[in-house]
Amino acid sequence: MDLSALRQQVLFQTGGDAEDVQDYLPHLTQYLNEGYDRLLMAACGRHVGEGAEEDPPLSHDRSTPNLPAWTHRAIADWATWLICRNGNAQRQSRGYAFRRAFEEVESRLRSARSGRFITHIPN
């Protein structure tokens, strides 16, 4: 997913309420980059923009995270959590599902980096 698609995913996940969008839209790219940074650290042990030309922050609509495609939605999940955590109790509660989804991907990346794979073979 590129930055444009990630933004659209967050708008979808938050319900795209016009009133709320005006409050968080100026911070949305920052929130997405925070999620990207956390996942990159989990996967590679470095921060976004930290001396690696291939890991610049997401800055324009076609910017794509330098992570496996299966992790991209988790970046939107993190941004959704950051938006929901500042809302009322019902909104915060809804946001926890996005936080948990993000943390699950983050944990998988950390395990893969350290070489600890847990394989579950269904019966």
Side-chain angles (χ1 to χ4, degrees):
M1 281 185 181
D2 59 23
L3 180 57
S4 178
L6 289 167
R7 285 184 187 132
Q8 291 301 316
Q9 184 66 34
V10 172
L11 289 172
F12 175 76
Q13 290 178 173
T14 57
D17 186 3
E19 186 176 303
D20 291 340
V21 169
Q22 295 308 313
D23 291 338
Y24 67 76
L25 198 56
H27 307 286
L28 186 53
T29 300
Q30 175 189 343
Y31 292 166
L32 289 165
N33 274 307
E34 285 179 29
Y36 177 28
D37 185 66
R38 288 182 59 144
L39 292 183
L40 188 65
M41 179 54 82
C44 305
R46 64 178 180 268
H47 290 287
V48 169
E50 189 175 84
E53 290 180 16
E54 66 271 7
D55 302 323
L58 304 173
S59 58
H60 58 85
D61 284 349
R62 295 291 165 219
S63 299
T64 304
N66 187 22
L67 289 167
W70 63 267
T71 66
H72 292 185
R73 185 175 177 141
I75 296 170
D77 291 343
W78 180 255
T80 302
W81 157 244
L82 292 180
I83 291 164
C84 290
R85 73 179 178 173
N86 294 320
N88 59 34
Q90 181 182 10
R91 188 172 184 152
Q92 288 176 7
S93 180
R94 208 177 95 219
Y96 284 124
F98 294 105
R99 179 180 170 183
R100 282 190 299 272
F102 172 85
E103 289 173 345
E104 183 178 310
V105 170
E106 186 179 36
S107 176
R108 285 181 62 194
L109 287 171
R110 228 181 247 115
S111 294
R113 183 170 153 239
S114 66
R116 294 181 313 221
F117 290 99
I118 299 172
T119 305
H120 174 72
I121 302 171
N123 295 331

